[in-house]
Amino acid sequence: EKEEEEEESLLSRNEATLRLINTFSRTMIESHQMIIQQFTKYFIELIKIQKVSSKVKSQSVTHLLILSSNPTICPSISQACEPLIEIAKLQEPSQNSVGALIAAANICFGNFPETEITDSTPPVILNLLTINFLTPLKLVLERTLVGEDYPEGSKRYYTPVVVCEGIANICKSPEGCATFQRLKIMKVLNRAKKLTDIRVREYSQISLELMKRHPIPEMAQRKTLKIEPFKIDFKKASLAILSGQSLSDALKIKNFSKLNIPNSKNGYEHNDSDEEDDQDQPLNWGNSIPNVQRIAVSNNM
């Protein structure tokens, strides 16, 4: 029992130390960048060790998530991408698997242009861009927007800007962009656009714009169904009936000729669209999109 108590005490002290370092990372990353980077290599090693406790691993993931949002530091932690992905695959909330997915996405796609979709997805993260793995990210955003923890009862809170940045980066991938459309995340992003934080609004706008520019086939089917008016050639129909044919048979022999109408006013139009929200309309930005500067995670993360 004494050994277990000592181990628990050491674990608590380790977790407290990691929390303190993460506080420095959030609030003083510019003034203490060199010191923070010195600790980072140990965080990367911690997430690789399977026997490390969930609390310690969770704090290590949080640290890397904070750094992944900083454009000057992000390239130096590229070696953390694969172990982060392994944690994300576990989908274990106690190890902050959602944070691991966002951090990995920031690392993999953060260097690509904000407003362009990549030609190919880095193979290391490709298997995570499925409905199975991205559904939790949508749920996190839904709960974050109303100030709730994820998972419910976990007391783990994400900030909207952190989640929206991760989604914007994933949308740079053809596979990620398609999966989010199938998850119908557009409605949630439209709600995020109403927040006061300009960074949240811009990240949400970028995600929506990328999905509009690269719709999946089932979302792109906005075909117009027209029921064109027709006229009956009563002379032909009458002759057919008089010759002994039934009315139904008479109608089968080209007794109808379509009218060539220059516009649709004389017909009926129906727009068949899979979109659920009238707000999910093309964005009127012209040829420019805000240049979003990637930022560090806020204190509420």
Side-chain angles (χ1 to χ4, degrees), residues 140-149 160 191 195:
V140 168
L141 181 58
E142 289 175 336
R143 295 187 65 82
T144 297
L145 293 180
V146 293
E148 296 179 344
D149 57 350
R191 294 204 300 270
L195 298 186

Side-chain angles (χ1 to χ4, degrees), residues 52-218:
V52 169
S53 72
S54 295
K55 290 183 179 180
V56 170
K57 190 165 288 189
S58 175
Q59 288 300 318
S60 301
V61 169
T62 298
H63 179 79
L64 294 168
L65 175 57
I66 294 168
L67 298 187
S68 73
S69 293
N70 189 297
T72 61
I73 295 179
C74 190
S76 66
I77 59 173
S78 59
Q79 66 271 29
C81 191
E82 289 193 33
L84 283 169
I85 288 173
E86 291 305 313
I87 294 175
K89 287 179 178 178
L90 297 175
Q91 293 191 309
E92 177 54 56
S94 65
Q95 294 189 19
N96 196 2
S97 56
V98 171
L101 173 58
I102 296 173
N106 291 345
I107 294 171
C108 285
F109 301 110
N111 292 326
F112 289 103
E114 295 284 0
T115 59
E116 296 179 14
I117 201 163
T118 64
D119 294 331
S120 60
T121 300
V124 68
I125 199 173
L126 184 61
N127 292 335
L128 286 185
L129 305 181
T130 63
I131 288 179
N132 183 40
F133 289 109
L134 295 189
T135 295
L137 202 51
K138 178 189 177 184
L139 299 176
V140 168
L141 181 58
E142 289 175 336
R143 295 187 65 82
T144 297
L145 293 180
V146 293
E148 296 179 344
D149 57 350
Y150 180 87
E152 184 177 359
S154 66
K155 296 184 180 179
R156 183 187 301 281
Y157 296 87
Y158 296 84
T159 56
V161 68
V162 170
V163 181
C164 288
E165 181 188 16
I167 291 172
N169 277 323
I170 291 174
C171 281
K172 296 176 187 177
S173 158
E175 294 81 6
C177 192
T179 301
F180 276 137
Q181 289 179 72
R182 292 188 173 96
L183 287 172
K184 301 187 184 298
I185 202 173
M186 294 83 76
K187 290 183 69 175
V188 190
L189 289 170
N190 272 308
R191 294 204 300 270
K193 284 199 308 179
K194 298 177 182 179
L195 298 186
T196 56
D197 191 329
I198 184 64
R199 299 163 300 173
V200 175
R201 297 203 302 268
E202 288 176 341
Y203 282 131
S204 302
Q205 195 83 314
I206 285 174
S207 299
L208 289 167
E209 179 67 17
L210 287 171
M211 285 186 274
K212 288 292 183 181
R213 290 181 182 180
H214 304 276
I216 55 176
E218 54 263 43

Side-chain angles (χ1 to χ4, degrees), residues 21-70:
I21 295 173
N22 285 342
T23 300
F24 278 116
S25 301
R26 290 190 185 99
T27 59
M28 295 181 285
I29 194 162
E30 298 300 331
S31 58
H32 294 73
Q33 183 169 319
M34 294 300 296
I35 297 175
I36 292 169
Q37 284 186 290
Q38 289 298 317
F39 284 110
T40 300
K41 59 184 178 182
Y42 299 113
F43 283 94
I44 295 175
E45 291 303 316
L46 283 172
I47 64 172
K48 293 179 181 179
I49 302 173
Q50 292 184 352
K51 293 183 179 181
V52 169
S53 72
S54 295
K55 290 183 179 180
V56 170
K57 190 165 288 189
S58 175
Q59 288 300 318
S60 301
V61 169
T62 298
H63 179 79
L64 294 168
L65 175 57
I66 294 168
L67 298 187
S68 73
S69 293
N70 189 297

